[in-house]
Amino acid sequence: NAGVTQTPKFQVLKTGQSMTLQCAQDMNHNSMYWYRQDPGMGLRLIYYSASEGTTDKGEVPNGYNVSRLNKREFSLRLESAAPSQTSVYFCASTLTASSNQPQHFGDGTRLSIL
Amino acid sequence: GNSVTQMEGPVTLSEEAFLTINCTYTATGYPSLFWYVQYPGEGLQLLLKATKADDKGSNKGFEATYRKETTSFHLEKGSVQVSDSAVYFCALAPNSGGYQKVTFGIGTKLQVIP
C-alpha cells in the first residue's frame, strides 16, 4: 500500500540551483496538490492539479513550476532556489477535486537551501 | 476569507490524561471540518471529519463535534497514550462544487509523557 510517494526525502541545495521534486500516487486519484509546511504557518498550497492535463496556482506559487506528467505523477520544480524556499514540501492527492474530500499525503521532502 | 485558529503548543500531558485541542474557524457558508495528525517524519493523515453542523467525527478514541453556533471543532480524547504524541492540524474545506482552497491551522504539537 504505497499511497503517495515523494522523492527525494531530503535535499540540500545552493542558492540558484534548480531541482525537481517528484510525486507519484497509486490510488487512481484524479487530483493532486503541492504544499509547503513552515513553522507557525501550517500548510500553504503552492499548486494543484484538479485533473490530468490541468494545473492551477495556489496561494504561494512564486518561484515554482509544476508538471502533471500523467494521472499518477505530479512534479514540482524550483528553477532558481532561494533560501526562502527552505521548507518541508508535501504532495497530496484526492479522488476528485471536490474540496471536502480527505487528502492523502506523502511523507514529505525536507529541502534546505544555503 | 476562511481561517482556522488553533494553539501551536506544545501541549504536554501525562499518559491517561484527558485531551482537548481547541479549533475555531471563520468561513462563509457551511464548510466541512477535518482533523489531521502528523507523526514525526511523516505526512499528514486524516484522523476524523464532519461535514455538517452537529455531526460528530470519531476515530481511534478521538472525537470532535461540529458546532456551528460557536464555530468550533474541538478535538478530545479521554485517555491519551505516549503513541498519541504528534502534531494535530484542524482544517476547513468549502462544501461546493469543484476545488476551493482547503485552509489548515498552524498545528498543535502534543507531547504525552509516561
Side-chain angles (χ1 to χ4, degrees), chain A residues 33 35 37-45 48 50 59 90 97-108 110, chain B residues 8 32 34 36 38 40-46 49 51 89 93-96 98-102 104-107:
Chain A
Y33 313 83
Y35 291 91
Q37 183 182 29
D38 300 292
M41 303 191 75
L43 271 73
R44 293 182 292 169
L45 183 67
Y48 69 98
E59 57 186 307
F90 288 100
S98 179
S99 301
N100 60 10
Q101 291 197 3
Q103 302 201 359
H104 298 257
F105 287 84
D107 286 343
R110 284 145 185 84
Chain B
E8 191 167 9
S32 290
F34 304 82
Y36 286 87
Q38 182 181 31
E42 299 183 7
L44 281 69
Q45 306 172 25
L46 178 70
K49 67 178 282 190
T51 57
F89 290 87
N95 269 325
S96 61
Y99 179 77
Q100 293 189 47
K101 186 175 78 74
V102 176
F104 289 86
I106 62 173

Side-chain angles (χ1 to χ4, degrees), chain A:
Chain A
N1 293 340
V4 178
T5 302
Q6 293 183 235
T7 55
K9 294 190 183 302
F10 301 93
Q11 186 70 47
V12 178
L13 293 178
K14 295 181 179 178
T15 298
Q17 288 185 315
S18 62
M19 80 162 294
T20 300
L21 281 62
Q22 307 287 352
C23 174
Q25 52 89 12
D26 63 1
M27 296 174 285
N28 202 32
H29 284 177
N30 290 291
S31 304
M32 299 184 74
Y33 313 83
W34 276 106
Y35 291 91
R36 59 178 290 173
Q37 183 182 29
D38 300 292
M41 303 191 75
L43 271 73
R44 293 182 292 169
L45 183 67
I46 305 171
Y47 272 92
Y48 69 98
S49 172
S51 61
E52 185 178 356
T54 69
T55 60
D56 287 284
K57 295 179 179 179
E59 57 186 307
V60 289
N62 291 347
Y64 305 96
N65 285 300
V66 291
S67 296
R68 184 73 183 268
L69 304 170
N70 48 54
K71 189 173 184 178
R72 291 186 62 248
E73 299 174 286
F74 188 39
S75 63
L76 178 71
R77 183 161 178 84
L78 286 71
E79 290 290 352
S80 179
S84 61
Q85 294 177 305
T86 293
S87 188
V88 182
Y89 292 86
F90 288 100
C91 179
S93 68
T94 54
L95 180 60
T96 71
S98 179
S99 301
N100 60 10
Q101 291 197 3
Q103 302 201 359
H104 298 257
F105 287 84
D107 286 343
T109 295
R110 284 145 185 84
L111 181 61
S112 293
I113 299 164
L114 307 177

